Amino acid sequence: MSTANDLCILTATLDDWDSVLVLLSELNDTLDAADLRATVVVIDDGSSVFVEPEQFPVKDWANIIEVRVVTLYRNLGNQRAVSVGLGYIATELPGLPVVLMDADLEDQPKYLPVLIEKMREADNKIVFAERSERSEGHSFRLFYGVYQRLYKMLTGLPISIGNYSAIPAKLVPRVASISEIASHFPAGIMRARVPYTTIHSVRGTRRFGESKMRLVSLIIHGLSGFAVHADVVGVRIVLGILATIAVIAGIVGVLIFQKLFTDMHSIGWTSQIVVLLISFMAQIFVAAIFIVFLVLANRNQTSFMPIADHDKFIMDVLRLS
């Protein structure tokens, strides 16, 4: 029987079992110090090597009640794998709060008690570990800063959070019913208007191997955040294009006025450039409108819902206790 100090920890991995084992050991120490107990669900996102039970010395981890390794039929990518995990927990481990974290040790276990404490204080809110400091190089931080500003401009929402979060038990079924979390977990939470708050954290460093997130994967992940808010982004782009067209139209009006009613000299090809610009902007405007209507129409289509569809992707569940 679960108690008030019991929780579920969800993480996903792809051929990174060394990190998972260290994470479990550190989690056990952290849980012990905070007088907490946890069931850990590890999503095997299509690893090339199947996990062996003897790899997990669960009996040595007094504060980890059970480890469940959920093996997927194929690699789905981190965000969709996590959404499958949330669907599994919502149906198989109901009534437990969930801490979602990466398995590569960049989400430091030491913040878990703070997340839980804040979650209990906030009651009906998800608590994210906001990355106040990052461990990546200057180039990554520069591009991430640009991404944050662009995200704020196009969606109207800030983005400084990742997967690392604590979800109250009563919100787990709601979160597991949000289809957008399969594309981008934080953006999906914001899109569904699930209340959340944050704590400050410092991102840790990977200790084993290299990240599976290459440049292309990072770009896809970033664009997925925009895609969750596709209709809002589309409308904001349309409004931006309309504002630009209005400016260009104003310039055209000034040029026509100068040519017809003043003696001021104007460059002969200026009007041609302006006409070309208007034509170009009009085409972009039509394309943006089409995209917005396409996104709005797509709302009526059946989409992946983790709580209902997760079992279609699960090949096996290995329970270790």
Side-chain angles (χ1 to χ4, degrees):
M1 180 179 294
S2 62
T3 69
N5 288 341
D6 288 355
L7 63 134
C8 184
I9 299 173
L10 172 63
T11 189
T13 188
L14 174 62
D15 289 317
D16 199 6
W17 297 111
D18 289 337
S19 293
V20 170
L21 291 173
V22 174
L23 174 64
L24 290 172
S25 179
E26 292 189 3
L27 280 173
N28 181 69
D29 294 340
T30 301
L31 293 167
D32 183 40
D35 192 27
L36 296 169
R37 301 191 312 162
T39 296
V40 181
V41 176
V42 181
I43 304 297
D44 177 1
D45 189 20
S47 295
S48 58
V49 177
F50 289 104
V51 67
E52 298 296 335
E54 55 269 19
Q55 289 180 254
F56 291 84
V58 180
K59 296 189 184 302
D60 295 339
W61 302 322
N63 289 72
I64 294 180
I65 305 168
E66 182 183 31
V67 176
R68 298 191 186 187
V69 180
V70 179
T71 303
L72 306 184
Y73 280 109
R74 53 156 294 177
N75 175 253
L76 299 177
N78 180 267
Q79 299 299 280
R80 185 169 285 262
V82 161
S83 70
V84 169
L86 282 169
Y88 173 82
I89 291 170
T91 54
E92 300 297 327
L93 293 165
L96 291 176
V98 176
V99 172
L100 172 59
M101 63 192 306
D102 292 339
D104 57 9
L105 302 170
E106 291 185 355
D107 291 339
Q108 300 189 66
K110 68 179 182 180
Y111 294 109
L112 187 147
V114 185
L115 282 170
I116 296 298
E117 182 180 357
K118 183 73 173 180
M119 180 195 71
R120 289 171 175 170
E121 293 174 359
D123 189 30
N124 198 35
K125 291 182 179 179
I126 297 175
V127 182
F128 283 93
E130 184 176 16
R131 298 160 186 172
S132 54
E133 295 181 34
R134 303 191 65 96
S135 60
E136 295 90 347
H138 294 293
S139 297
F140 181 91
R141 279 180 278 183
L142 174 64
F143 285 112
Y144 186 69
V146 172
Y147 170 71
Q148 285 180 303
R149 286 166 178 78
L150 191 60
Y151 191 92
K152 174 71 173 178
M153 182 176 68
L154 292 179
T155 68
L157 298 169
I159 185 72
S160 59
I161 51 178
N163 285 354
Y164 200 7
S165 56
I167 308 170
K170 57 187 173 184
L171 286 184
V172 172
R174 178 182 293 183
V175 172
S177 300
I178 300 171
S179 58
E180 292 91 345
I181 64 171
S183 297
H184 194 285
F185 180 75
I189 295 300
M190 290 186 282
R191 175 69 189 188
R193 298 183 180 179
V194 180
Y196 72 91
T197 186
T198 62
I199 64 166
H200 291 294
S201 68
V202 177
R203 191 164 181 81
T205 55
R206 171 179 285 274
R207 302 184 205 174
F208 300 95
E210 296 182 356
S211 173
K212 305 296 188 300
M213 290 284 280
R214 299 291 186 258
L215 178 61
V216 173
S217 300
L218 286 170
I219 292 173
I220 291 173
H221 180 65
L223 291 176
S224 296
F226 289 114
V228 169
H229 303 278
D231 51 348
V232 176
V233 172
V235 169
R236 285 182 176 242
I237 290 174
V238 167
L239 293 175
I241 291 171
L242 283 174
T244 305
I245 290 175
V247 171
I248 293 175
I251 294 172
V252 171
V254 170
L255 291 174
I256 292 174
F257 180 83
Q258 287 179 352
K259 187 168 185 177
L260 296 179
F261 302 105
T262 69
D263 296 328
M264 294 179 63
H265 175 72
S266 60
I267 301 174
W269 44 263
T270 303
S271 58
Q272 297 176 4
I273 292 178
V274 171
V275 170
L276 287 173
L277 284 173
I278 291 177
S279 175
F280 178 66
M281 296 300 292
Q283 292 179 51
I284 297 178
F285 172 73
V286 171
I289 287 288
F290 175 76
I291 291 171
V292 171
F293 278 113
L294 190 65
V295 170
L296 293 176
N298 194 50
R299 283 181 171 185
N300 298 322
Q301 304 299 317
T302 302
S303 56
F304 168 73
M305 184 178 290
I307 197 169
D309 302 323
H310 66 276
D311 56 333
K312 299 175 183 176
F313 302 91
I314 296 175
M315 183 175 73
D316 184 42
V317 179
L318 178 64
R319 300 178 60 169
L320 305 169
S321 58

